[in-house]
Amino acid sequence: MKRVLLLATGDTIAHSYRPGQQGVASGTELLKTVPSGALPADVAVEVEDVMAEPSWDTSPSTMLGLARRARSAILERGFDGVVITQGTDTLEDGAFLVDLLAGRAAERGAIVLTGAMRALDDLSSDGPRNLASSIVAAADGALRGAGAVVCVNDEVHAARWVTLADATSVAGFSSAPFPVLGRVVGGRVETLAAPPARPPLVAGEPESDVALIKTYPGMDPVLLTAVVDAGARGIVLEGTGLGNVPVDLFATLGELSEWGIPTVIASRSLTLGVPLDDLGFHAGLAAKLGAIGARGLAPSKARVALMVALGTGGVDAVRDWFGRL
Ligand code: ASP
């Protein structure tokens, strides 16, 4: 028998809104919405409910707690796979954090995150189907080694690549321009593409206070020092194009680096994972002042990556970690 742990955090997948029926289904109630026969006979699911905020408000400690539970379920409790239900707004960030912290658990089992665009009592709710497919994916050996994935609409996406491109569609998750890893068809995972390379392992504890700031021409550099004064241990800047930020920030970038505060520059556009200092004059100059490139990660994913990277040490250790990401 294969053992899958379901960590249920509520949100749209578990919510009912019709008058007289409002409520949030527990993990056990959610599992009952999956018709018998929709899951392989050799899969046993155990359920744990986890208190969590709505996903747009999920605190770093909740996210880190889920990541640790998923990892220890596989490494210490012998589960073959884990399914986490989470709100879709930030499913991609939570999945990437789980991925970065999975460590050796990624080699031994599958970790699948899922959610729903429609409430449980909506017409043609997508939740029960997403849950069923995710349990199938978590029990399927095909995903061993792939790291955390998001399974929605029968598609399996790599946590590193997936994004919620359309918040109104049951098919709103996309990995483009990267491939979908696979599809759940007929009770098994059909593999379509190789997963991204595994991220570097981290031994130290992640840091939870990392700020994410969108840059714009004419912005006051005091915005950067203000978040540090408020306690941020690292900053992700959302730049433009290949990773450009306004020149007015350059002096502060140098200062932050001297103070031991790593600054990672991501972009509002899709970029390739080229290191910042290999880029042309402007982004390259920011790198010379100490800024670290996000290696093609979207800004919100760069933020969870910086949380994890800060567990390796100071600015130089973070730069080295991102260089291997
Ligand atoms: N629409 C979201 C959901 O799936 C809200 C959230 O992300 O928490 O519940």
Side-chain angles (χ1 to χ4, degrees), residues 158-170:
R160 181 171 184 145
W161 294 334
V162 71
T163 184
L164 180 59
D166 181 346
T168 59
S169 165
V170 291

Side-chain angles (χ1 to χ4, degrees), residues 10-13 53-56 86-90 115-117:
D11 273 299
T12 299
I13 192 168
E53 307 86 353
S55 87
W56 64 83
Q86 203 211 288
T88 50
D89 287 24
T90 64
M117 306 308 290

Side-chain angles (χ1 to χ4, degrees), residues 128-274:
R129 173 111 195 172
N130 285 344
L131 179 60
S133 296
S134 297
I135 293 169
V136 167
D140 195 314
L143 289 177
R144 209 162 282 163
V149 297
V150 167
C151 178
V152 169
N153 200 33
D154 292 343
E155 290 181 338
V156 179
H157 298 267
R160 181 171 184 145
W161 294 334
V162 71
T163 184
L164 180 59
D166 181 346
T168 59
S169 165
V170 291
F173 281 90
S174 166
S175 287
F178 301 102
V180 170
L181 296 186
R183 269 174 211 284
V184 179
V185 186
R188 52 175 286 275
V189 174
E190 189 182 310
T191 307
L192 297 174
R198 295 299 302 139
L201 295 174
V202 194
E205 282 302 300
E207 184 59 58
S208 52
D209 202 340
V210 171
L212 169 56
I213 303 176
K214 191 174 181 82
T215 65
Y216 51 90
M219 74 184 279
D220 192 327
V222 79
L223 291 173
L224 274 53
T225 47
V227 296
V228 175
D229 290 346
R233 301 294 313 279
I235 301 176
V236 173
L237 292 179
E238 181 181 316
T240 52
L242 290 174
N244 296 308
V245 296
V247 72
D248 290 351
L249 303 184
F250 275 16
T252 307
L253 286 182
E255 279 165 14
L256 290 172
S257 188
E258 278 164 26
W259 298 344
I261 304 290
T263 310
V264 171
I265 300 185
S267 174
R268 69 183 186 185
S269 303
L270 186 75
T271 62
L272 297 176
V274 180

